[in-house]
Amino acid sequence: MATAGPATAAPGTSVPGASTPGGAAGHCPRVGQVRVPGAEHQRSACLDELTTAGTVASGHTDPADWAGLTPRSLPVPSGVPGIQIDGYFPDTSTTNGNHGWNHDSQFVVRLPDRWNGGLVVAGTPGNREQYANDRAIADWVLARGYAYAATDKGNTGPAFHRDGAEPGDAVAEWNDRLTQLTRAARETVAQRYRRPPSRTLVTGMSNGGYLVRWQLENHPELYDGGVDWEGTLWRVEGPNLLDFLPKALRAYPEYAAGGAGAPAARRALHAAGFPAGSEFLWPYHHQVYWDLTQRVYREEFDPDFDGATEAGTPYCAPGTPACDADYDYGTRPDDVRRAVRKIALTGRIGRPLITLHGTLDVLLPIGRDSDVYARMVREAGRGHLHRYYRIEGGTHADSLFDAFPDRLRPLVPCHRAGFTALERWVVRGDRPPASGTVARPPGADAASLVAHCSLRGRRFS
């Protein structure tokens, strides 16, 4: 994917509580002395540029990790010198080939010379590696003065399910690895700046958003708050993606064929959670996302469904033996639900959380995901800690905005608006706008949609 050329950071990006720590001035002080606790291996570099405006050329990011996640026109901030530490924690799996290490549990830590006192930690979307958030998240928070750390979650790629001894172990490791990185990054920051971070914020998209939810439910002591960008919902009783993706795989071919059965197939897709008005996105998601996602996650939690076959048969026809299009999560053995229970969400968050989700998400449909999670938070008695913004016209991958600028809007500026609202919430106590549906501005051009998002919208009834 092509990227925008370097641009200076936008004006007006001051951060609440920003300061220059005493005794930490200068370019890359103690670069050779800062150690990431628990790391088996690390490599430090003093860089003139920590954002992708410089790290692409210097080899300190991998554009393949973040391809397809942001609009082409998203500006790239620059002017952020500091220390980058790449490394890995002890692990036995070898799916991550970055740096030629062939070692999982890789991480990146970036420590800007001009620090605002905060730390942002993130896990990656999908099954991507540790640089996946560099364009969407890291560039912007680094330009605001944050230290930043990200993990590959402990396993990567479409064969991630091979990791772990039992079903569900590979995803459970994601949670453990982000907890591990957060603790290590907080200590690393304290070494570099000679004081601990004044606030630690966790954020991420898709699977990274799931990690935000899980961390705030299970380790709220590590964080001051989080921003969940279309996080994946895992519930033992459902809904979860193993419910609705098989329904899409069954109905879509008949819908696409356009015959007499197409109207009923369309209604079946709507009933499965894929919203009316999202039909223009279905062909891409059928080709790229639905089939692969169903098969590899079903293999992680229910490997016995297809016997010795690994991750099913791509694009099998309904009625074919052990076809994922016919998968019925509700009728599977209790062992499957026990595997999901290892990583399931409860809604019992312990720190402020902002959730953003696009209404035209057709990988994780909003009505089967964040609408449900928001209700779980309320039912758990934690609604006062949550704000939820339904972004009208947003879809799962922001790169699709480039193909449909007249029908979609990117979520990245809404994530940034959510992040700044979280800052004000945890630093100043300023409560964010009420949860609601944020309308796509009528007549807005592509440039304004990439640059701006207001979280004030129609309140939920």
PDB file of all heavy atoms in Angstrom, residues 22 25 68 75 81 98 108 129 183-184 192 195 200 225 245 252 257-258 268 287 300 304 332 336 358 360-361 371 443:
ATOM      1  N   GLY A  22      13.052  16.373  34.413  1.00  0.00           N
ATOM      2  CA  GLY A  22      14.368  16.836  34.797  1.00  0.00           C
ATOM      3  C   GLY A  22      15.423  15.765  34.634  1.00  0.00           C
ATOM      4  O   GLY A  22      15.191  14.586  34.890  1.00  0.00           O
ATOM      5  N   ALA A  25      17.245  15.503  29.524  1.00  0.00           N
ATOM      6  CA  ALA A  25      17.380  16.281  28.301  1.00  0.00           C
ATOM      7  C   ALA A  25      18.443  15.674  27.399  1.00  0.00           C
ATOM      8  O   ALA A  25      19.258  14.864  27.813  1.00  0.00           O
ATOM      9  CB  ALA A  25      17.728  17.725  28.641  1.00  0.00           C
ATOM     10  N   GLY A  68      -2.757  -1.697   4.456  1.00  0.00           N
ATOM     11  CA  GLY A  68      -4.200  -1.870   4.392  1.00  0.00           C
ATOM     12  C   GLY A  68      -4.980  -1.394   5.587  1.00  0.00           C
ATOM     13  O   GLY A  68      -6.202  -1.578   5.634  1.00  0.00           O
ATOM     14  N   PRO A  75      -1.910  11.824   6.972  1.00  0.00           N
ATOM     15  CA  PRO A  75      -0.608  12.492   7.114  1.00  0.00           C
ATOM     16  C   PRO A  75       0.336  11.712   8.023  1.00  0.00           C
ATOM     17  O   PRO A  75      -0.091  11.015   8.942  1.00  0.00           O
ATOM     18  CB  PRO A  75      -0.976  13.849   7.728  1.00  0.00           C
ATOM     19  CG  PRO A  75      -2.427  14.043   7.425  1.00  0.00           C
ATOM     20  CD  PRO A  75      -3.025  12.669   7.429  1.00  0.00           C
ATOM     21  N   PRO A  81      12.672  12.636  17.446  1.00  0.00           N
ATOM     22  CA  PRO A  81      13.882  11.848  17.697  1.00  0.00           C
ATOM     23  C   PRO A  81      13.787  11.091  19.007  1.00  0.00           C
ATOM     24  O   PRO A  81      13.032  11.466  19.914  1.00  0.00           O
ATOM     25  CB  PRO A  81      14.964  12.918  17.768  1.00  0.00           C
ATOM     26  CG  PRO A  81      14.261  14.135  18.289  1.00  0.00           C
ATOM     27  CD  PRO A  81      12.870  14.079  17.705  1.00  0.00           C
ATOM     28  N   ASN A  98      10.450 -11.110  11.661  1.00  0.00           N
ATOM     29  CA  ASN A  98      11.082  -9.791  11.632  1.00  0.00           C
ATOM     30  C   ASN A  98      12.514  -9.864  12.147  1.00  0.00           C
ATOM     31  O   ASN A  98      12.817 -10.594  13.093  1.00  0.00           O
ATOM     32  CB  ASN A  98      10.278  -8.802  12.495  1.00  0.00           C
ATOM     33  CG  ASN A  98       9.299  -7.990  11.665  1.00  0.00           C
ATOM     34  OD1 ASN A  98       9.615  -7.528  10.576  1.00  0.00           O
ATOM     35  ND2 ASN A  98       8.078  -7.832  12.176  1.00  0.00           N
ATOM     36  N   VAL A 108       8.385  -3.806  20.283  1.00  0.00           N
ATOM     37  CA  VAL A 108       9.086  -2.568  19.977  1.00  0.00           C
ATOM     38  C   VAL A 108       8.734  -1.566  21.066  1.00  0.00           C
ATOM     39  O   VAL A 108       7.580  -1.467  21.494  1.00  0.00           O
ATOM     40  CB  VAL A 108       8.726  -2.019  18.579  1.00  0.00           C
ATOM     41  CG1 VAL A 108       7.228  -1.743  18.438  1.00  0.00           C
ATOM     42  CG2 VAL A 108       9.533  -0.762  18.267  1.00  0.00           C
ATOM     43  N   GLU A 129       2.241  -8.434  13.046  1.00  0.00           N
ATOM     44  CA  GLU A 129       3.418  -8.343  13.899  1.00  0.00           C
ATOM     45  C   GLU A 129       3.489  -6.977  14.569  1.00  0.00           C
ATOM     46  O   GLU A 129       2.606  -6.140  14.414  1.00  0.00           O
ATOM     47  CB  GLU A 129       4.650  -8.675  13.059  1.00  0.00           C
ATOM     48  CG  GLU A 129       4.583 -10.125  12.551  1.00  0.00           C
ATOM     49  CD  GLU A 129       5.562 -10.460  11.448  1.00  0.00           C
ATOM     50  OE1 GLU A 129       6.277  -9.549  10.949  1.00  0.00           O
ATOM     51  OE2 GLU A 129       5.624 -11.641  11.045  1.00  0.00           O
ATOM     52  N   ARG A 183       4.015  -4.169  31.872  1.00  0.00           N
ATOM     53  CA  ARG A 183       4.862  -4.106  33.062  1.00  0.00           C
ATOM     54  C   ARG A 183       6.302  -3.764  32.696  1.00  0.00           C
ATOM     55  O   ARG A 183       6.942  -2.918  33.347  1.00  0.00           O
ATOM     56  CB  ARG A 183       4.795  -5.434  33.807  1.00  0.00           C
ATOM     57  CG  ARG A 183       3.459  -5.675  34.485  1.00  0.00           C
ATOM     58  CD  ARG A 183       3.358  -7.077  35.054  1.00  0.00           C
ATOM     59  NE  ARG A 183       2.138  -7.216  35.875  1.00  0.00           N
ATOM     60  CZ  ARG A 183       1.507  -8.364  36.056  1.00  0.00           C
ATOM     61  NH1 ARG A 183       1.960  -9.485  35.494  1.00  0.00           N
ATOM     62  NH2 ARG A 183       0.424  -8.399  36.820  1.00  0.00           N
ATOM     63  N   ALA A 184       6.817  -4.411  31.657  1.00  0.00           N
ATOM     64  CA  ALA A 184       8.197  -4.160  31.257  1.00  0.00           C
ATOM     65  C   ALA A 184       8.371  -2.748  30.714  1.00  0.00           C
ATOM     66  O   ALA A 184       9.377  -2.075  31.000  1.00  0.00           O
ATOM     67  CB  ALA A 184       8.625  -5.186  30.210  1.00  0.00           C
ATOM     68  N   ARG A 192      14.603   5.228  31.527  1.00  0.00           N
ATOM     69  CA  ARG A 192      14.999   6.259  30.553  1.00  0.00           C
ATOM     70  C   ARG A 192      14.787   7.668  31.098  1.00  0.00           C
ATOM     71  O   ARG A 192      15.661   8.539  30.968  1.00  0.00           O
ATOM     72  CB  ARG A 192      14.200   6.058  29.261  1.00  0.00           C
ATOM     73  CG  ARG A 192      14.140   7.249  28.302  1.00  0.00           C
ATOM     74  CD  ARG A 192      15.503   7.690  27.792  1.00  0.00           C
ATOM     75  NE  ARG A 192      15.364   8.862  26.932  1.00  0.00           N
ATOM     76  CZ  ARG A 192      15.389  10.120  27.356  1.00  0.00           C
ATOM     77  NH1 ARG A 192      15.528  10.387  28.662  1.00  0.00           N
ATOM     78  NH2 ARG A 192      15.270  11.124  26.503  1.00  0.00           N
ATOM     79  N   ARG A 195      11.774   8.554  36.080  1.00  0.00           N
ATOM     80  CA  ARG A 195      10.529   8.542  36.845  1.00  0.00           C
ATOM     81  C   ARG A 195       9.514   7.710  36.083  1.00  0.00           C
ATOM     82  O   ARG A 195       9.587   7.591  34.851  1.00  0.00           O
ATOM     83  CB  ARG A 195       9.988   9.948  37.098  1.00  0.00           C
ATOM     84  CG  ARG A 195       9.572  10.751  35.885  1.00  0.00           C
ATOM     85  CD  ARG A 195       9.021  12.104  36.334  1.00  0.00           C
ATOM     86  NE  ARG A 195       8.728  12.998  35.230  1.00  0.00           N
ATOM     87  CZ  ARG A 195       7.539  13.111  34.646  1.00  0.00           C
ATOM     88  NH1 ARG A 195       6.549  12.324  35.030  1.00  0.00           N
ATOM     89  NH2 ARG A 195       7.341  13.978  33.664  1.00  0.00           N
ATOM     90  N   THR A 200      -0.660   5.525  31.987  1.00  0.00           N
ATOM     91  CA  THR A 200      -0.449   4.437  31.036  1.00  0.00           C
ATOM     92  C   THR A 200      -1.789   4.150  30.377  1.00  0.00           C
ATOM     93  O   THR A 200      -2.768   3.807  31.050  1.00  0.00           O
ATOM     94  CB  THR A 200       0.076   3.175  31.741  1.00  0.00           C
ATOM     95  OG1 THR A 200       1.306   3.477  32.401  1.00  0.00           O
ATOM     96  CG2 THR A 200       0.301   2.052  30.734  1.00  0.00           C
ATOM     97  N   GLY A 225      -6.565   3.995  31.621  1.00  0.00           N
ATOM     98  CA  GLY A 225      -7.718   3.951  30.740  1.00  0.00           C
ATOM     99  C   GLY A 225      -7.337   3.369  29.401  1.00  0.00           C
ATOM    100  O   GLY A 225      -6.169   3.046  29.152  1.00  0.00           O
ATOM    101  N   LEU A 245     -20.065 -15.709  11.125  1.00  0.00           N
ATOM    102  CA  LEU A 245     -19.318 -15.920   9.886  1.00  0.00           C
ATOM    103  C   LEU A 245     -19.792 -17.144   9.107  1.00  0.00           C
ATOM    104  O   LEU A 245     -19.899 -17.077   7.868  1.00  0.00           O
ATOM    105  CB  LEU A 245     -17.821 -15.998  10.171  1.00  0.00           C
ATOM    106  CG  LEU A 245     -17.142 -14.681  10.556  1.00  0.00           C
ATOM    107  CD1 LEU A 245     -15.644 -14.886  10.745  1.00  0.00           C
ATOM    108  CD2 LEU A 245     -17.396 -13.581   9.525  1.00  0.00           C
ATOM    109  N   TYR A 252     -23.888 -16.019   1.280  1.00  0.00           N
ATOM    110  CA  TYR A 252     -23.352 -15.086   0.291  1.00  0.00           C
ATOM    111  C   TYR A 252     -23.293 -15.666  -1.121  1.00  0.00           C
ATOM    112  O   TYR A 252     -23.667 -14.963  -2.080  1.00  0.00           O
ATOM    113  CB  TYR A 252     -21.976 -14.567   0.699  1.00  0.00           C
ATOM    114  CG  TYR A 252     -21.431 -13.622  -0.344  1.00  0.00           C
ATOM    115  CD1 TYR A 252     -21.911 -12.316  -0.425  1.00  0.00           C
ATOM    116  CD2 TYR A 252     -20.510 -14.051  -1.298  1.00  0.00           C
ATOM    117  CE1 TYR A 252     -21.475 -11.458  -1.409  1.00  0.00           C
ATOM    118  CE2 TYR A 252     -20.070 -13.195  -2.283  1.00  0.00           C
ATOM    119  CZ  TYR A 252     -20.546 -11.895  -2.344  1.00  0.00           C
ATOM    120  OH  TYR A 252     -20.118 -11.056  -3.333  1.00  0.00           O
ATOM    121  N   ALA A 257     -24.976 -14.956  -6.684  1.00  0.00           N
ATOM    122  CA  ALA A 257     -25.401 -15.565  -7.948  1.00  0.00           C
ATOM    123  C   ALA A 257     -26.552 -14.808  -8.584  1.00  0.00           C
ATOM    124  O   ALA A 257     -26.749 -14.872  -9.812  1.00  0.00           O
ATOM    125  CB  ALA A 257     -25.792 -17.020  -7.709  1.00  0.00           C
ATOM    126  N   GLY A 258     -27.321 -14.115  -7.758  1.00  0.00           N
ATOM    127  CA  GLY A 258     -28.348 -13.238  -8.300  1.00  0.00           C
ATOM    128  C   GLY A 258     -29.587 -13.929  -8.813  1.00  0.00           C
ATOM    129  O   GLY A 258     -30.395 -13.319  -9.514  1.00  0.00           O
ATOM    130  N   ALA A 268     -31.011 -13.346   4.907  1.00  0.00           N
ATOM    131  CA  ALA A 268     -30.261 -14.185   5.846  1.00  0.00           C
ATOM    132  C   ALA A 268     -28.993 -13.484   6.319  1.00  0.00           C
ATOM    133  O   ALA A 268     -28.621 -13.576   7.503  1.00  0.00           O
ATOM    134  CB  ALA A 268     -29.924 -15.521   5.199  1.00  0.00           C
ATOM    135  N   GLN A 287     -14.216 -12.427  -0.258  1.00  0.00           N
ATOM    136  CA  GLN A 287     -12.963 -12.837  -0.890  1.00  0.00           C
ATOM    137  C   GLN A 287     -11.791 -12.820   0.080  1.00  0.00           C
ATOM    138  O   GLN A 287     -10.927 -13.704   0.035  1.00  0.00           O
ATOM    139  CB  GLN A 287     -12.661 -11.910  -2.071  1.00  0.00           C
ATOM    140  CG  GLN A 287     -11.365 -12.228  -2.791  1.00  0.00           C
ATOM    141  CD  GLN A 287     -11.077 -11.247  -3.917  1.00  0.00           C
ATOM    142  OE1 GLN A 287     -11.787 -10.247  -4.082  1.00  0.00           O
ATOM    143  NE2 GLN A 287     -10.059 -11.521  -4.706  1.00  0.00           N
ATOM    144  N   GLU A 300      -8.543 -22.758  16.082  1.00  0.00           N
ATOM    145  CA  GLU A 300      -7.984 -22.427  17.392  1.00  0.00           C
ATOM    146  C   GLU A 300      -8.858 -22.955  18.525  1.00  0.00           C
ATOM    147  O   GLU A 300      -8.344 -23.482  19.513  1.00  0.00           O
ATOM    148  CB  GLU A 300      -7.809 -20.913  17.506  1.00  0.00           C
ATOM    149  CG  GLU A 300      -7.627 -20.366  18.913  1.00  0.00           C
ATOM    150  CD  GLU A 300      -6.312 -20.765  19.584  1.00  0.00           C
ATOM    151  OE1 GLU A 300      -5.542 -21.558  19.006  1.00  0.00           O
ATOM    152  OE2 GLU A 300      -6.060 -20.293  20.703  1.00  0.00           O
ATOM    153  N   ASP A 304     -11.202 -30.210  16.423  1.00  0.00           N
ATOM    154  CA  ASP A 304     -11.760 -31.524  16.123  1.00  0.00           C
ATOM    155  C   ASP A 304     -12.883 -31.471  15.099  1.00  0.00           C
ATOM    156  O   ASP A 304     -13.292 -32.521  14.578  1.00  0.00           O
ATOM    157  CB  ASP A 304     -12.286 -32.175  17.405  1.00  0.00           C
ATOM    158  CG  ASP A 304     -11.168 -32.559  18.360  1.00  0.00           C
ATOM    159  OD1 ASP A 304     -10.020 -32.702  17.901  1.00  0.00           O
ATOM    160  OD2 ASP A 304     -11.452 -32.701  19.569  1.00  0.00           O
ATOM    161  N   ARG A 332     -21.848 -27.471  19.225  1.00  0.00           N
ATOM    162  CA  ARG A 332     -20.546 -28.115  19.388  1.00  0.00           C
ATOM    163  C   ARG A 332     -20.354 -28.570  20.839  1.00  0.00           C
ATOM    164  O   ARG A 332     -21.008 -28.077  21.761  1.00  0.00           O
ATOM    165  CB  ARG A 332     -19.422 -27.158  18.959  1.00  0.00           C
ATOM    166  CG  ARG A 332     -19.466 -26.780  17.481  1.00  0.00           C
ATOM    167  CD  ARG A 332     -19.355 -28.018  16.598  1.00  0.00           C
ATOM    168  NE  ARG A 332     -18.033 -28.659  16.755  1.00  0.00           N
ATOM    169  CZ  ARG A 332     -17.811 -29.942  16.493  1.00  0.00           C
ATOM    170  NH1 ARG A 332     -18.779 -30.727  16.088  1.00  0.00           N
ATOM    171  NH2 ARG A 332     -16.585 -30.432  16.657  1.00  0.00           N
ATOM    172  N   VAL A 336     -15.462 -26.986  23.421  1.00  0.00           N
ATOM    173  CA  VAL A 336     -15.277 -25.775  22.617  1.00  0.00           C
ATOM    174  C   VAL A 336     -15.567 -24.552  23.468  1.00  0.00           C
ATOM    175  O   VAL A 336     -14.812 -23.567  23.473  1.00  0.00           O
ATOM    176  CB  VAL A 336     -16.183 -25.806  21.371  1.00  0.00           C
ATOM    177  CG1 VAL A 336     -16.014 -24.533  20.562  1.00  0.00           C
ATOM    178  CG2 VAL A 336     -15.867 -27.041  20.521  1.00  0.00           C
ATOM    179  N   GLY A 358     -17.508   1.111  13.721  1.00  0.00           N
ATOM    180  CA  GLY A 358     -18.197   1.584  12.535  1.00  0.00           C
ATOM    181  C   GLY A 358     -19.496   0.838  12.294  1.00  0.00           C
ATOM    182  O   GLY A 358     -19.571  -0.384  12.450  1.00  0.00           O
ATOM    183  N   LEU A 360     -20.841   0.204   9.505  1.00  0.00           N
ATOM    184  CA  LEU A 360     -20.752  -0.632   8.307  1.00  0.00           C
ATOM    185  C   LEU A 360     -19.610  -1.629   8.404  1.00  0.00           C
ATOM    186  O   LEU A 360     -19.062  -2.070   7.392  1.00  0.00           O
ATOM    187  CB  LEU A 360     -20.600   0.243   7.054  1.00  0.00           C
ATOM    188  CG  LEU A 360     -21.795   1.120   6.704  1.00  0.00           C
ATOM    189  CD1 LEU A 360     -21.537   1.896   5.419  1.00  0.00           C
ATOM    190  CD2 LEU A 360     -23.072   0.287   6.576  1.00  0.00           C
ATOM    191  N   ASP A 361     -19.271  -2.017   9.608  1.00  0.00           N
ATOM    192  CA  ASP A 361     -18.279  -3.075   9.801  1.00  0.00           C
ATOM    193  C   ASP A 361     -18.925  -4.397   9.398  1.00  0.00           C
ATOM    194  O   ASP A 361     -19.919  -4.817   9.989  1.00  0.00           O
ATOM    195  CB  ASP A 361     -17.847  -3.121  11.273  1.00  0.00           C
ATOM    196  CG  ASP A 361     -16.638  -4.010  11.521  1.00  0.00           C
ATOM    197  OD1 ASP A 361     -16.512  -5.041  10.844  1.00  0.00           O
ATOM    198  OD2 ASP A 361     -15.831  -3.670  12.410  1.00  0.00           O
ATOM    199  N   ASP A 371     -22.199  -3.298  20.182  1.00  0.00           N
ATOM    200  CA  ASP A 371     -23.508  -3.069  20.804  1.00  0.00           C
ATOM    201  C   ASP A 371     -23.693  -4.026  21.981  1.00  0.00           C
ATOM    202  O   ASP A 371     -24.201  -3.639  23.040  1.00  0.00           O
ATOM    203  CB  ASP A 371     -24.629  -3.304  19.786  1.00  0.00           C
ATOM    204  CG  ASP A 371     -24.772  -2.187  18.767  1.00  0.00           C
ATOM    205  OD1 ASP A 371     -24.032  -1.185  18.848  1.00  0.00           O
ATOM    206  OD2 ASP A 371     -25.636  -2.333  17.868  1.00  0.00           O
ATOM    207  N   GLY A 443     -22.105  15.693   2.814  1.00  0.00           N
ATOM    208  CA  GLY A 443     -21.345  16.508   1.870  1.00  0.00           C
ATOM    209  C   GLY A 443     -19.881  16.654   2.199  1.00  0.00           C
ATOM    210  O   GLY A 443     -19.164  17.386   1.500  1.00  0.00           O
TER     211      GLY A 443
END
